Amino acid sequence: MSDTPFGFGLPPEEPDDGDEGKKKDQQSGGGQGPANPFGFGGLPGAGGFGGGPGGPGADNPFAAMFGSLNPNDLGAAFQQLGQMLSYEGGPVNWDMAKQIARQTVSQGSPDGTKDASVGPADRKSVEEAVRLADLWLDDATSLPSGATSAVAWSRAEWVEATLPAWKELVDPVAERVGTAMGDVLPEEMQAMAGPLIGMMRSMGGAMFGTQIGQAVGVLAGEVVGSSDIGLPLGPAGKAALLPVNVETFGKDLSVPQEEVRLYLALREAAHQRLFAHVPWLRSHLFGAVDGYARGIKVDTAKLEDVVGQFDPQNPEQLQEALQQGMFQPEDTPEQKAALARLETALALVEGWVDAVVHAAAKPRLSSADALRETLRRRRASGGPAEQTFATLIGLELRPRRLRDASRLWASLTDARGVDGRDGLWAHPDMLPTASDLDDPDGFVHREQIDFSELDKMLGEAADKPDLKKKDESGVEGEGEGEDKNKGDDAG
C-alpha cells in the first residue's frame, strides 16, 4: 500500500529560496508535511496551506489553513474547493483527475525530463518501428496484426487516451469507498443528514479524483506505450509509443536507440495482436480486476475514528491514521479465487508477449537478451503501475509468475508449434491454470481438449428449426416431430 492511501495532493515543489525556504516551510507547517494532512498542495497557488501548531494562526484553524495565502491564491483555492463540494457526478471526480494529471505531467518527471509535443521525425520513427515489428511478428505468431495505426504520444496525450480505461478499472472500488463514507454516520442520523452525506460523497469523489490524477500523471512520466501494465489502456487498434519515455528508458542501457525503440514496438504490437484477436480477453482481465475490487472492504471503523477524532490543532493524528490505509481484501475463498484468476491471467498475457517477442527479436537484434531481461525485471520488481493500483484499489498488479508463464509458452511452441500454442487462446477454459504453471511439462504433454466437435454440434443445432414439435395428438416427441417435418418437406 502507498504511504498516502488517499493520495490527497501533488508532490511538494522545491522552495525558490533553497535550504532557507525548506527551514521556513518546516517551521510554518507549509507544504505536505504532517501539518497538512489533506495535502491540498495540488490546488493552484496553495503551497502554503496549513499552519501547524505554533505556526501562524495556531489558535485559529482558518488562519492556520489560509493565513499564508495572498488574496489571489486564496480566491483560486476557494474556487477549487467550491468545485469539489459542488461535484454531483459518479464516485470519482474525473474532471479533477484529468486536470491534476495534466498538472503533474507539466511539472516533469523526477529525472528532470519534460513533456513535449511529438514532432514529425518521432512520429515517422514510431510508425516505421511498428510496421517492421509487425512484419517480424508474422513469423512468431499465428495471430494476425492487431494494429490499425501506429501513433506517437506525448505524456499528456497518453493521459487523455487512457482515462476511459482508468475509469472502468477504478470506479467499482471508489463506489464502495463513497458508500462507506456515508455509512459512517449512525442510521438514525442518515435520514436527517442528506446534505452532509452528499458533501462527504463529493469530497470522496474529489479525493479519488486527486489521487487518480496524481497517480496517472506520475505513471505518464514512465510508461513507454499503451500496454505496459498488461491491460489495454488505449483505444483498440492503436499501437502507441511515447518517444520521450522511450529515449529515457534506453539512455543507460548501452543499446542503440533504434534497437530499443524496435524492441518496445514489438511488445506493443504483440499486445495489440492478442487483444484484437482474442475477443473475450479484455473483458476477462477487466472483469478479474473488478471482481477483486468488489471483494475489498473499507475499514469503516478506522474511517469513523478519523472523522470523529479530527482535531484541527493536532493534524498529525489524522495523517497518521490515514497512512495506515483503508483497504482490506476480504479473506474469503471468492476473493482468493479472484486474486488468483487475475494474477494468472496477467502472467499468461505477459508471458505470451515475452515469448513471442523474444522469438521474433532473438535472430535479428543483438541486444534482444539484454532488453528482455531489463523489461522482465522492470515488470517483476513492481514499477509505477503496481504502485498506482496498490494506491487506487489496494491491488498489486504484478505478473508474479511472468517467467513461469514464458517458459510454458515456449515449451508449448516446441511441442505443438506456433498454431497449437496460439490456438489455446480460442477459449478461456483451454488456457493454463495456476497449477499448470507449477507443472508446465504436465500441461504441455496433456491431451488437448478439442472444442471443434462441440462447436460443430452447437452450430448445427443453431441452424436447425425447433425439433421439439407437438404431434397431432398433442404429445411432444423429438424424433417423430423431426420425421414429420422431413415428410412435410418431401411432400
Side-chain angles (χ1 to χ4, degrees):
M1 285 293 298
S2 166
D3 286 341
T4 54
F6 284 116
F8 284 93
L10 299 177
E13 295 184 4
E14 189 75 15
D16 292 335
D17 46 356
D19 292 336
E20 288 299 316
K22 290 181 182 178
K23 292 176 183 177
K24 286 187 287 185
D25 207 40
Q26 293 167 356
Q27 293 169 359
S28 65
Q32 297 207 5
N36 183 8
F38 290 105
F40 283 116
L43 302 181
F49 259 46
D59 296 329
N60 183 343
F62 291 99
M65 291 177 68
F66 304 115
S68 60
L69 292 178
N70 64 46
N72 291 335
D73 290 340
L74 184 61
F78 271 118
Q79 181 180 9
Q80 184 118 0
L81 185 61
Q83 293 173 357
M84 292 164 61
L85 296 178
S86 63
Y87 174 71
E88 296 180 351
V92 177
N93 188 331
W94 286 102
D95 290 336
M96 178 172 287
K98 178 178 174 180
Q99 176 185 354
I100 290 178
R102 295 292 297 263
Q103 289 175 355
T104 305
V105 164
S106 68
Q107 293 173 359
S109 53
D111 62 8
T113 59
K114 297 284 187 179
D115 193 26
S117 299
V118 180
D122 280 330
R123 293 190 187 279
K124 183 178 179 181
S125 296
V126 168
E127 290 171 359
E128 290 177 348
V130 172
R131 189 180 305 117
L132 182 56
D134 254 339
L135 287 175
W136 289 4
L137 287 172
D138 284 340
D139 296 332
T141 174
S142 61
L143 299 181
S145 174
T148 56
S149 62
V151 292
W153 284 339
S154 65
R155 293 169 178 172
E157 288 173 324
W158 183 90
V159 168
E160 296 276 355
T162 61
L163 274 180
W166 290 115
K167 185 176 189 299
E168 187 176 348
L169 288 165
V170 174
D171 270 352
V173 71
E175 181 68 44
R176 293 181 65 84
V177 174
T179 302
M181 291 184 72
D183 292 343
V184 167
L185 295 175
E187 276 188 40
E188 60 272 13
M189 291 183 60
Q190 290 188 20
M192 299 182 294
L196 177 59
I197 293 175
M199 184 181 74
M200 292 178 70
R201 288 183 175 166
S202 295
M203 289 295 293
M207 290 192 311
F208 259 103
T210 302
Q211 178 183 4
I212 293 164
Q214 181 183 352
V216 171
V218 171
L219 192 56
E222 302 210 15
V223 293
V224 294
S226 71
S227 54
D228 284 39
I229 65 173
L231 295 172
L233 295 179
K238 284 192 175 182
L241 292 179
L242 283 70
V244 64
N245 292 353
V246 170
E247 182 178 354
T248 302
F249 172 80
K251 186 168 56 176
D252 299 323
L253 295 181
S254 301
V255 175
Q257 190 69 22
E258 294 76 14
E259 290 196 18
V260 173
R261 186 189 304 113
L262 185 50
Y263 194 88
L264 296 176
L266 280 166
R267 289 183 53 83
E268 180 72 11
H271 277 104
Q272 292 294 332
R273 289 186 181 224
L274 194 57
F275 288 116
H277 299 291
V278 183
W280 53 266
L281 182 57
R282 186 185 190 278
S283 60
H284 181 76
L285 287 168
F286 277 64
V289 174
D290 179 76
Y292 181 83
R294 292 189 184 280
I296 291 174
K297 64 180 179 181
V298 179
D299 190 346
T300 53
K302 186 178 295 182
L303 192 57
E304 282 186 54
D305 290 341
V306 170
V307 174
Q309 298 179 11
F310 174 57
D311 177 6
Q313 299 300 323
N314 187 20
E316 293 88 348
Q317 186 179 22
L318 175 63
Q319 178 75 359
E320 182 180 347
L322 290 176
Q323 285 180 348
Q324 295 174 11
M326 294 289 175
F327 300 122
Q328 293 181 344
E330 294 275 12
D331 189 20
T332 63
E334 293 79 12
Q335 182 70 346
K336 291 177 181 178
L339 179 59
R341 185 164 68 104
L342 177 59
E343 288 184 339
T344 301
L346 285 172
L348 291 174
V349 169
E350 291 295 277
W352 183 88
V353 168
D354 180 79
V356 167
V357 168
H358 184 69
K362 177 68 173 175
R364 300 175 174 96
L365 293 179
S366 58
S367 58
D369 288 332
L371 289 169
R372 182 191 202 188
E373 187 59 28
T374 298
L375 284 160
R376 279 181 166 187
R377 291 181 179 179
R378 189 175 191 245
R379 286 295 279 126
S381 62
E386 179 194 347
Q387 296 164 12
T388 298
F389 270 83
T391 301
L392 298 183
I393 60 175
L395 170 66
E396 293 182 355
L397 196 65
R398 187 193 305 181
R400 302 176 186 276
R401 310 198 63 181
L402 166 60
R403 293 177 188 269
D404 294 336
S406 182
R407 281 193 292 268
L408 188 146
W409 289 118
S411 297
L412 283 168
T413 308
D414 295 338
R416 304 183 186 179
V418 169
D419 291 342
R421 177 200 66 198
D422 294 345
L424 294 177
W425 291 106
H427 195 281
D429 291 343
M430 297 176 67
L431 287 178
T433 63
S435 59
D436 292 326
L437 294 179
D438 296 328
D439 181 22
D441 289 338
F443 179 83
V444 168
H445 298 293
R446 185 185 308 159
E447 185 175 349
Q448 293 178 253
I449 302 174
D450 187 359
F451 285 87
S452 60
E453 287 300 319
L454 177 60
D455 290 339
K456 182 179 178 182
M457 292 170 61
L458 291 174
E460 290 174 352
D463 292 337
K464 289 181 180 180
D466 185 10
L467 298 180
K468 296 191 87 174
K469 299 291 185 180
K470 289 187 177 182
D471 59 17
E472 294 179 357
S473 64
V475 179
E476 291 184 356
E478 292 187 10
E480 295 177 13
E482 188 175 355
D483 292 338
K484 186 176 185 303
N485 288 340
K486 289 179 181 177
D488 291 342
D489 292 341

